[in-house]
Amino acid sequence: MDTWRPPVQGICLPRSASGPARTGLSPSLTAQARGGGDQRAAAPAQAPPPRARDVTVPRHARVDVPVAFRKEAQRLTMANAAEQWVLVEMVQALYEEKEELIEEWQPEPLVPPVSKDHPALNYNIVSGPPSHNIVVNGKECINFASFNFLGLLDNPRVKAAALASLKKYGVGTCGPRGFYGTFDVHLDLEDRLAKFMKTEEAIIYSYGFATIASAIPAYSKRGDIVFVDRAACFAIQKGLQASRSDIKIFKHNDMADLERLLKEQEIEDQKNPRKARVTRRFIVVEGIYMNTGTICPLPELVKLKYKYKARIFLEESLSFGVLGEHGRGVTEHYGINIDDIDLISANMENALASVGGFCCGRSFVIDHQRLSGQGYCFSASLPPLLAAAAIEALNIMEENPGIFAVLKEKCRKIHKALQGISGLRVMGESFSPAFHLHLEESTGSREKDVKLLQEIVNQCMNRSIALTQARYLDKEEKCLPPPSIRVVVTVEQTEDELERAAATIKEVAQAVLL
């Protein structure tokens, strides 16, 4: 006999692969709920089953959830709520902390604080041309500060050539060389420079600093290796920085230290020959170093170049128009074939008394700069009047080769006269037209050293001798040179003026330092 069961067709159960285990119902009850009941107890009426929301399950047929399950569910619910509340509190705390930090934050100054007595903010105002006699702050002095080595800055012939060019071409060019900025006078100057230096080709820049700073990254790229002297000038440093090459610094004019670095690199190259084949090596030096006044040992550098298969870049801003029988620079001074040097650069702002710079060398080397020299490609070209002035200055140099011997002799005289100054020592070659006076003993503070030297400069100025300190960007220099007074010699200075300047510097130095 069949046992009566309550109708369960309308019970709404959750759909699950493990229905009986999750609902707590027996398999038979689950089957009845899903299938409409036992086949043997099927109702005679074939009416469609009612919807779940329309069915009322008798009280005695409801399935009770175990008490332990309900307690566990409540515990989990409370734990989740507690965790959520902790999370909310953490977010709120972080938000409040962020708001406090924002309120307390103060932006860093765009530039570091600079004292009002900084030399860069206190100009020496020049009235008139900075030639032999210079008027500084209304006081006439003998000029021992400007790089007018050959005295061409106020030369009548140079000024006449510049004036004629001004009337013909106007003031500027308003365009780079590749965009209607190439004038016939530019080509004339490049041709004259190449012939004067006895090279195949030359290229001119409109800014002296940008010349070597553009030339280096035009050739040396990431992955290449540059061996550079520790005393290299700031323009070279900026060129190296722009090249993103691997920089190896050797001690100033120390060829043994340079060869040590070259040997170390040779050993590294043997470990990876494939990389070594595509890695270029450069040696970058100056003819006469701006920061020291010393000359580079070029013959030894050329030997190392061929021994270790490197290229030499020679910066001659202080040696061009100064060294050599005809003023061709350090190559002529040593009697070295200029073809042994891969690239020579110099500015036209010293001996030529103009503006801008030039590079010279083999044609295929120079032509590359016309495509890759940033200062050449993107700067407005050199004003024609300055190019014309440089051409006339070259004419004067070629017509008067004895001028270089005169300059060298005057350099030797003042260099000798300045020896033995109490508290100061002379740094630089005896034939260098620009050399330095360093403190024999530092105070231990760079700021105090600078003030002492500036006091010497000021007192010399009061006695009509115009000097200047060598200026550096302290935080930018790779190897910051010590403070110094720079003395510049020109052919215009007379023997009496040289003696007077040396005597004045000695007297002032003794008064300030002793």
Side-chain angles (χ1 to χ4, degrees):
M1 182 177 180
D2 295 332
T3 305
W4 180 87
R5 295 180 178 84
V8 295
Q9 290 91 340
I11 294 179
C12 185
L13 299 174
R15 297 176 62 86
S16 172
S18 56
R22 294 186 62 178
T23 61
L25 301 178
S26 64
S28 60
L29 186 58
T30 303
Q32 293 178 25
R34 291 178 176 173
D38 195 307
Q39 296 296 329
R40 292 173 299 175
Q46 297 299 320
R51 292 174 299 180
R53 62 173 178 268
D54 298 332
V55 177
T56 301
V57 182
R59 187 178 185 85
H60 60 273
R62 295 176 184 173
V63 180
D64 292 332
V65 178
V67 176
F69 180 82
R70 290 201 306 272
K71 289 183 177 181
E72 181 65 16
Q74 292 175 357
R75 186 187 67 79
L76 293 175
T77 302
M78 293 176 64
N80 290 337
E83 291 178 0
Q84 292 178 0
W85 179 248
V86 171
L87 183 61
V88 169
E89 288 184 337
M90 290 175 62
V91 171
Q92 181 66 22
L94 289 173
Y95 178 78
E96 292 175 355
E97 183 180 0
K98 183 181 73 173
E99 291 297 318
E100 291 177 0
L101 291 174
I102 292 175
E103 291 178 2
E104 295 174 358
W105 180 78
Q106 292 294 331
E108 293 184 2
L110 183 62
V111 295
V114 180
S115 60
K116 293 183 179 180
D117 60 347
H118 192 280
L121 303 180
N122 296 274
Y123 305 104
N124 290 315
I125 309 301
V126 177
S127 304
S131 54
H132 175 217
N133 293 314
I134 185 172
V135 179
V136 183
N137 301 328
K139 185 177 181 62
E140 185 173 351
C141 303
I142 303 171
N143 191 353
F144 284 87
S146 300
F147 294 97
N148 183 26
F149 300 145
L150 303 182
L152 300 178
L153 189 145
D154 201 29
N155 185 282
R157 288 176 55 181
V158 174
K159 291 195 293 185
L163 183 60
S165 178
L166 175 63
K167 292 178 179 179
K168 179 179 179 180
Y169 299 100
V171 177
T173 60
C174 298
R177 289 288 298 271
F179 300 91
Y180 301 103
T182 297
F183 289 47
D184 53 1
V185 68
H186 294 141
L187 302 179
D188 292 342
L189 176 56
E190 289 177 343
D191 184 61
R192 288 296 306 280
L193 285 167
K195 290 179 178 178
F196 180 81
M197 294 297 293
K198 296 185 176 181
T199 58
E200 295 179 3
E201 193 171 340
I203 181 174
I204 60 172
Y205 286 76
S206 54
Y207 184 28
F209 183 93
T211 305
I212 189 64
S214 298
I216 291 174
Y219 304 98
S220 183
K221 307 294 183 181
R222 187 189 297 273
D224 294 332
I225 301 170
V226 182
F227 302 88
V228 62
D229 192 289
R230 179 182 180 86
C233 66
F234 194 61
I236 290 177
Q237 295 177 39
K238 283 297 157 184
L240 296 174
Q241 183 179 355
S243 73
R244 299 178 295 176
S245 303
D246 185 10
I247 312 301
K248 296 183 182 295
I249 300 174
F250 60 91
K251 297 176 183 178
H252 180 48
N253 276 346
D254 190 336
M255 296 300 97
D257 191 45
L258 172 59
E259 186 167 16
R260 175 185 63 82
L261 293 175
L262 290 167
K263 285 182 178 179
E264 290 178 358
Q265 186 58 46
E266 188 177 50
I267 295 172
E268 289 296 319
D269 292 342
Q270 293 173 358
K271 297 178 181 178
N272 192 344
R274 181 178 297 180
K275 180 182 178 182
R277 282 195 295 269
V278 297
T279 300
R280 290 167 292 191
R281 299 159 197 81
F282 301 89
I283 301 174
V284 180
V285 293
E286 294 179 61
I288 293 179
Y289 285 87
M290 177 71 72
N291 293 338
T292 63
T294 53
I295 190 172
C296 72
L298 192 59
E300 297 177 48
L301 286 165
V302 171
K303 291 179 182 178
L304 292 176
K305 166 196 169 175
Y306 287 113
K307 182 177 180 180
Y308 294 97
K309 300 178 177 61
R311 299 173 173 90
I312 293 181
F313 284 5
L314 182 61
E315 213 292 324
E316 291 213 68
S317 290
L318 287 189
S319 52
F320 170 75
V322 172
L323 296 183
E325 183 180 355
H326 301 90
R328 295 190 178 96
V330 69
T331 52
E332 188 178 42
H333 174 78
Y334 283 115
I336 291 177
N337 188 342
I338 201 165
D339 291 335
D340 290 332
I341 310 302
D342 297 276
L343 183 73
I344 291 177
S345 72
N347 68 45
M348 299 184 291
E349 300 165 357
N350 299 338
L352 292 182
S354 184
V355 174
F358 71 91
C359 291
C360 60
R362 295 182 181 276
S363 295
F364 72 91
V365 175
I366 298 304
D367 285 342
H368 181 71
Q369 288 189 53
R370 302 190 191 279
L371 303 174
S372 303
Q374 296 180 4
Y376 179 90
C377 295
F378 302 109
S379 295
S381 59
L382 185 70
L385 65 96
L386 295 172
I391 291 175
E392 191 60 31
L394 280 173
N395 292 336
I396 295 173
M397 289 169 58
E398 290 179 335
E399 294 169 7
N400 300 280
I403 195 173
F404 308 111
V406 173
L407 177 62
K408 183 181 295 185
E409 183 59 29
K410 291 188 176 183
C411 292
R412 293 185 188 277
K413 285 185 177 180
I414 192 169
H415 193 279
K416 182 178 180 180
L418 288 173
Q419 299 295 327
I421 300 178
S422 300
L424 293 178
R425 58 184 175 87
V426 181
M427 179 68 175
E429 308 290 350
S430 61
F431 50 78
S432 173
F435 57 91
H436 297 257
L437 299 177
H438 291 269
L439 291 173
E440 282 187 340
E441 293 185 7
S442 172
T443 61
S445 167
R446 185 178 183 86
E447 184 178 356
K448 292 181 180 179
D449 291 351
V450 169
K451 288 183 177 180
L452 281 174
L453 293 174
Q454 188 59 43
E455 182 62 25
I456 296 174
V457 171
N458 293 340
Q459 291 195 24
C460 287
M461 182 80 70
N462 293 335
R463 300 189 185 190
S464 300
I465 301 296
L467 299 171
T468 183
Q469 277 201 74
R471 301 294 182 192
Y472 307 100
L473 297 178
D474 295 3
K475 297 183 179 179
E476 297 289 334
E477 289 279 350
K478 185 68 175 179
C479 303
L480 182 63
S484 67
I485 296 173
R486 182 183 288 128
V487 181
V488 179
V489 184
T490 72
V491 294
E492 293 183 311
Q493 295 156 355
T494 66
E495 292 188 13
D496 290 341
E497 289 170 339
L498 294 173
E499 293 175 1
R500 176 185 167 191
T504 301
I505 294 172
K506 283 184 178 181
E507 292 174 6
V508 171
Q510 289 177 354
V512 173
L513 300 177
L514 298 182

